Amino acid sequence: MASPKDPGAAERVVDETMTDLSVGMVALRQWFSRQSRLLPERLRWRFIGRPIGTAMSTALTVAIPLMAVNAQVAFNTFPDPLTDLSLAGRQPNILILAKDGTELGSRGSDLGDPVDIDTLPPYVVEAFLATEDRNFFEHPGFDPFALLRATLRNWTAGTVVQGGSTITQQLAKNLFLTGDQTIERKFEELHLSLWLEARLTKKEILELYLNRIYLGANTFGLSAASQAYFSKPAEELTLSEAALLAGLPKAPSTLAPHVNLDGAIKRSHEVIGNLLETQKITGLTARLAMMEPPTLALRDERDGYGYFLDHVAAELALRAGDANTDLVVTTTLDPVAQRHAEAAVKAVVETDAAKARGATQAALIAYDRRGGIAAMVGGQSYRLSQFNRTTQAKRQPGSAFKPFVYLAAMEAGFDQDTVLVDQPVQVDGWSPKNYRETFLGAHRLREAFARSSNTATVQISEAIGRERIIDAAQQVGINALLEPYPTLPLGVFETSLHDLTAAYMPFAYEGHSPKPHAIASISTRGGQMLYERQIDVAPRVISVRSAEKMTDLLLAVTTSGTGRSARIPGHEVAGKTGTTDDWRDAWFIGYSAHLTAGVWVGNDDSEPMDRVSGATFPAQIWSNFMGQTHVEEDLEPLSLDHGYFAPDKELYSLKSTYDALRDDLMLRAYGAREYSTRRNDSIGGILRRQMDQGPYVPESPVQGRVVRPREDRDSGTNN
């Protein structure tokens, strides 16, 4: 027993026992006095006095140690008289709400509102009494005849076919004891039953029993079970529904109607038979109830909520792990975003196209501007698999890691328009390959990033140093173990979708890094606030300018690069695709001005897919989710452009000036053989492709400065 002990319990038991013994002695003495007058004086002592004296002496000798043993048992068994019986012997209930107050579900004990037996239909209470304890209102807490009857039936059957516990005994077991089938536990159960009967009325015992009895599906009490199985309050139960619930205490997990409806209905017929046998209903009523079995109306618990509820429970253990009372947890989940996230995943993963290409699983997570989880889909079906692929799965991010390489480059002095040569490269005997095994030649970082060039990324890594990349990744929140291997910039380590997506938030929010979280507040059922998240300015982990440069690069991915299929109408979005070797994992991570979201597609056993890249199913899921959420939430279209000035169109005039430079660069980079096949890919072509992507001008200390071609300078025109 975990309950506190009552220091005076032993003394009270001894006093009560002695009082009862004194009364018995007085009665025995009066009986002896009456009988003795009927015998001659000489025979009284011989035939009555001596045997009675011997018996009394023996009884006292045995009774005194028994009284001591009983007092000790009572002291160890009885709970504190001040114990709150409504909370005894159960886990606290955790009610979990969305950010708008919508009920998402619960964890711990699922308890409904307490029932008052006076408001229930008479057949509801009678069904439990007729089946569990017909002599409830007559016995003192235990029924010796029921115990004897059950013992004989079980001995005859050779197994346990009938229980002899009363409702009071069942309540005592539920409140204070374990399910161990031992003589010691049965002895404690009897003591506790008497303790309950001495302190509560029969009505109070019956109500407490109906509010605490386990009825399957993690429901405790009549009210919770009525809502879970029939979506109605207990006061509205029909006879057949009441009979079904009254039959569950025998084997609640086995007979729970959501897993064994036929067994539950068969058992309900036995309950109806019990009501008929005790003359609580007529034969006609019994037949009608059996002819119209109850129809289940299971409580609507969205499949996708399960992953989030588990995540909230884990976070709650850190916030209020020592709380021992019922709690109400308000979360950051947006029901609209969650609905569209589930729909977007199902609309792709459950299609024949996805199955044909070997993609069986997907996960999605989205954060609001404060880092709160707005949506979480941990897999295709929570009922089939409770493994949360957003937080528990560790996968290689592939090219989705490249933003952190380019972030390190920006902070090392590079900018989006730094020109480098995309060409074969070898590092410590390892040669990275590009997607189509082609090379871009001389081009700007923006284009290399938009096209997800592996060789260009490795060149940047070697130029700035791998330790810089590790520092940059950890700075924005990547907690995975990163080692400075040559393959580091291509995302060969493992991380979770949760962490990878959160690491993109500093790019979206001008360098600020909101801490990912799911809980907004925690309070007791009585309204006492235990925790409330403060709305503070998130710490800045990178400079505003670095965030702006990264947003410019990520915009290039969705406007002209590998992430074009992720665009949504009316809103600017930025992001990055990612695909690992052998097509085992495919990613798209990105953001708008309102949400940051990430998608992973793959298989639990890491089986390769059929050429599923981040630009295919992941970008499609991401676009569907973001597009539908932005429309229904009526989110304002906001630009991700943090103040870049419009391009100077006269930059086109530089083409002729740099043609020769381009030719010389190509010749030196590739040699005569490659030069002959690439000479038409000029700097002018690079600029033209860049202008086709939309307005952009690189950083410049002098905005709007115009550089004239040679003929203008020769004519004396000033800049």
Side-chain angles (χ1 to χ4, degrees):
M1 290 278 310
S3 303
K5 305 294 186 297
D6 180 3
E11 290 79 357
R12 288 197 301 272
V13 171
V14 172
D15 292 342
E16 292 171 0
T17 305
M18 292 300 295
T19 300
D20 294 341
L21 187 60
S22 298
V23 173
M25 291 292 293
V26 171
L28 186 60
R29 188 165 55 250
Q30 292 174 349
W31 178 86
F32 174 74
S33 177
R34 289 194 301 271
Q35 297 299 321
S36 64
R37 287 194 291 268
L38 303 178
L39 294 175
E41 182 70 26
R42 183 173 60 83
L43 298 178
R44 291 177 186 174
W45 172 250
R46 179 178 179 183
F47 292 104
I48 297 177
R50 185 180 295 173
I52 291 178
T54 303
M56 290 179 62
S57 177
T58 303
L60 286 172
T61 303
V62 174
I64 291 174
L66 286 179
M67 287 164 49
V69 171
N70 187 63
Q72 185 62 40
V73 170
F75 177 74
N76 292 330
T77 302
F78 288 171
D80 190 323
L82 301 179
T83 299
D84 185 350
L85 297 180
S86 65
L87 299 177
R90 69 170 177 85
Q91 294 180 335
N93 174 252
I94 304 167
L95 178 64
I96 302 176
L97 309 177
K99 72 174 186 178
D100 63 356
T102 302
E103 182 176 340
L104 300 177
S106 65
R107 286 295 183 265
S109 302
D110 186 3
L111 298 171
D113 296 328
V115 297
D116 182 345
I117 60 176
D118 292 334
T119 65
L120 295 173
Y123 49 75
V124 174
V125 177
E126 294 296 345
F128 281 92
L129 292 175
T131 304
E132 296 297 323
D133 190 356
R134 298 185 183 183
N135 298 321
F136 173 73
F137 288 102
E138 284 76 37
H139 62 63
F142 67 96
D143 189 342
F145 298 105
L147 287 172
L148 179 60
R149 182 172 60 251
T151 301
L152 292 175
R153 288 198 59 184
N154 294 337
W155 181 77
T156 303
T159 184
V160 178
V161 295
Q162 182 177 346
S165 295
T166 64
I167 281 180
T168 309
Q169 288 176 274
Q170 293 181 49
L171 179 61
K173 181 180 69 175
N174 291 338
L175 294 181
F176 305 115
L177 301 174
T178 66
D180 298 339
Q181 297 293 330
T182 64
I183 295 177
E184 180 183 1
R185 191 200 64 79
K186 198 68 176 177
F187 195 47
E188 291 178 342
E189 182 183 291
L190 289 173
H191 275 81
L192 289 168
S193 299
L194 295 173
W195 184 84
L196 288 172
E197 291 277 352
R199 282 156 179 79
L200 302 176
T201 66
K202 285 290 187 178
K203 177 185 176 183
E204 290 172 335
I205 292 174
L206 185 56
E207 284 185 345
L208 192 56
Y209 169 81
L210 292 176
N211 287 321
R212 293 298 306 276
I213 187 68
Y214 180 60
L215 296 174
N218 198 38
T219 60
F220 291 82
L222 185 63
S223 179
S226 180
Q227 290 289 351
Y229 298 133
F230 305 117
S231 296
K232 63 170 63 174
E235 291 77 10
E236 298 178 8
L237 289 170
T238 65
L239 174 58
S240 59
E241 292 168 346
L244 186 145
L245 296 181
L248 295 179
K250 178 181 180 180
S253 298
T254 303
L255 296 175
H258 70 298
V259 295
N260 184 11
L261 182 58
D262 290 341
I265 291 177
K266 182 179 179 180
R267 173 63 174 163
S268 73
H269 290 172
E270 296 178 13
V271 175
I272 293 173
N274 293 335
L275 286 169
L276 181 61
E277 184 177 329
T278 55
Q279 299 182 352
K280 300 300 180 182
I281 59 174
T282 65
L284 177 61
T285 302
R287 287 193 296 272
L288 291 175
M290 292 183 183
M291 291 172 59
E292 297 182 3
T295 301
L296 294 185
L298 298 177
R299 181 172 48 200
D300 182 21
E301 288 190 357
R302 298 184 63 85
D303 186 23
Y305 285 161
Y307 296 111
F308 182 72
L309 295 179
D310 289 347
H311 183 73
V312 169
E315 185 174 323
L316 178 64
L318 301 176
R319 303 287 184 197
D322 57 349
N324 193 29
T325 186
D326 295 339
L327 300 176
V328 178
V329 179
T330 302
T331 70
T332 60
L333 193 82
D334 181 346
V336 172
Q338 178 67 23
R339 175 162 43 84
H340 289 305
E342 294 175 28
V345 169
K346 290 182 182 296
V348 170
V349 178
E350 294 184 357
T351 62
D352 293 337
K355 295 175 183 177
R357 297 177 69 174
T360 62
Q361 278 292 354
L364 182 153
I365 193 168
Y367 301 98
D368 60 28
R369 292 184 62 88
R370 295 192 177 96
I373 297 176
M376 174 183 280
V377 180
Q380 185 182 5
S381 171
Y382 180 78
R383 289 188 177 93
L384 297 178
S385 170
Q386 290 77 52
F387 181 69
N388 192 336
R389 294 155 189 84
T390 67
T391 58
Q392 295 174 284
K394 307 292 184 181
R395 301 283 185 148
Q396 292 184 352
S399 293
F401 180 75
K402 288 177 181 176
F404 314 119
V405 179
Y406 281 73
L407 170 63
M410 298 297 114
E411 295 190 334
F414 286 64
D415 64 28
Q416 309 94 302
D417 292 283
T418 299
V419 176
L420 54 82
V421 178
D422 183 21
Q423 58 184 329
V425 62
Q426 188 176 86
V427 181
D428 297 339
W430 169 67
S431 297
K433 304 293 184 183
N434 287 331
Y435 171 50
R436 300 185 186 279
E437 298 190 2
T438 59
F439 304 96
L440 301 176
H443 62 293
R444 296 178 179 179
L445 261 67
R446 185 183 299 102
E447 186 174 5
F449 186 79
R451 298 193 180 188
S452 200
S453 169
N454 290 336
T455 51
T457 304
V458 172
Q459 289 185 65
I460 293 172
S461 171
E462 295 305 303
I464 64 176
R466 301 166 203 157
E467 294 292 346
R468 281 183 178 269
I469 297 171
I470 294 176
D471 291 342
Q474 293 176 341
Q475 199 172 340
V476 294
I478 294 294
N479 297 315
L481 179 62
L482 304 178
E483 298 289 351
Y485 300 134
T487 55
L488 169 70
L490 302 187
V492 295
F493 64 93
E494 294 183 340
T495 188
S496 67
L497 178 62
H498 178 279
D499 291 346
L500 183 62
T501 305
Y504 276 59
M505 285 195 285
F507 305 148
Y509 306 132
E510 299 183 332
H512 293 285
S513 180
K515 186 176 181 180
H517 61 280
I519 295 177
S521 67
I522 304 169
S523 63
T524 66
R525 289 279 185 142
Q528 179 186 359
M529 188 64 66
L530 302 180
Y531 166 81
E532 186 170 18
R533 188 172 186 83
Q534 300 300 313
I535 303 176
D536 298 325
V537 177
R540 176 169 277 130
V541 296
I542 60 176
S543 68
V544 176
R545 199 58 179 161
S546 293
E548 291 175 343
K549 291 178 180 180
M550 291 308 304
T551 290
D552 176 56
L553 291 177
L554 291 161
L555 276 169
V557 174
T558 57
T559 55
S560 62
T562 58
R564 293 188 298 275
S565 56
R567 290 178 292 190
I568 62 176
H571 292 268
E572 280 191 350
V573 295
K576 186 70 184 74
T577 56
T579 311
T580 59
D581 288 343
D582 297 327
W583 316 91
R584 297 180 189 277
D585 302 284
W587 310 74
F588 188 86
I589 318 292
Y591 53 88
S592 69
H594 303 282
L595 293 171
T596 301
V599 174
W600 166 84
V601 174
N603 296 303
D604 287 339
D605 59 1
S606 295
E607 185 72 17
M609 298 176 287
D610 184 9
R611 301 182 70 82
V612 175
S613 69
T616 58
F617 294 149
Q620 182 181 344
I621 293 172
W622 193 92
S623 178
N624 289 343
F625 160 68
M626 293 287 277
Q628 293 297 324
T629 301
H630 280 64
V631 169
E632 185 166 346
E633 299 272 20
D634 195 23
L635 299 178
E636 180 183 0
L638 297 174
S639 174
L640 294 176
D641 184 346
H642 298 291
Y644 293 110
F645 54 92
D648 189 334
K649 301 298 183 181
E650 296 190 32
L651 283 175
Y652 275 125
S653 63
L654 291 174
K655 177 180 181 300
S656 60
T657 305
Y658 284 92
D659 275 345
L661 175 61
R662 167 66 185 177
D663 291 345
D664 181 64
L665 185 62
M666 291 294 295
L667 183 61
R668 290 176 181 273
Y670 299 116
R673 183 183 302 275
E674 285 294 314
Y675 167 73
S676 64
T677 61
R678 296 175 178 268
R679 65 176 300 171
N680 291 329
D681 192 10
S682 64
I683 288 179
I686 294 175
L687 291 175
R688 185 176 300 106
R689 288 194 300 274
Q690 183 59 42
M691 294 303 295
D692 290 341
Q693 296 174 16
Y696 171 78
V697 166
E699 296 176 320
S700 172
V702 182
Q703 296 191 7
R705 182 183 178 193
V706 179
V707 180
R708 301 292 184 183
R710 179 176 299 277
E711 57 268 26
D712 288 341
R713 295 203 300 271
D714 290 344
S715 64
T717 304
N718 295 324
N719 292 333

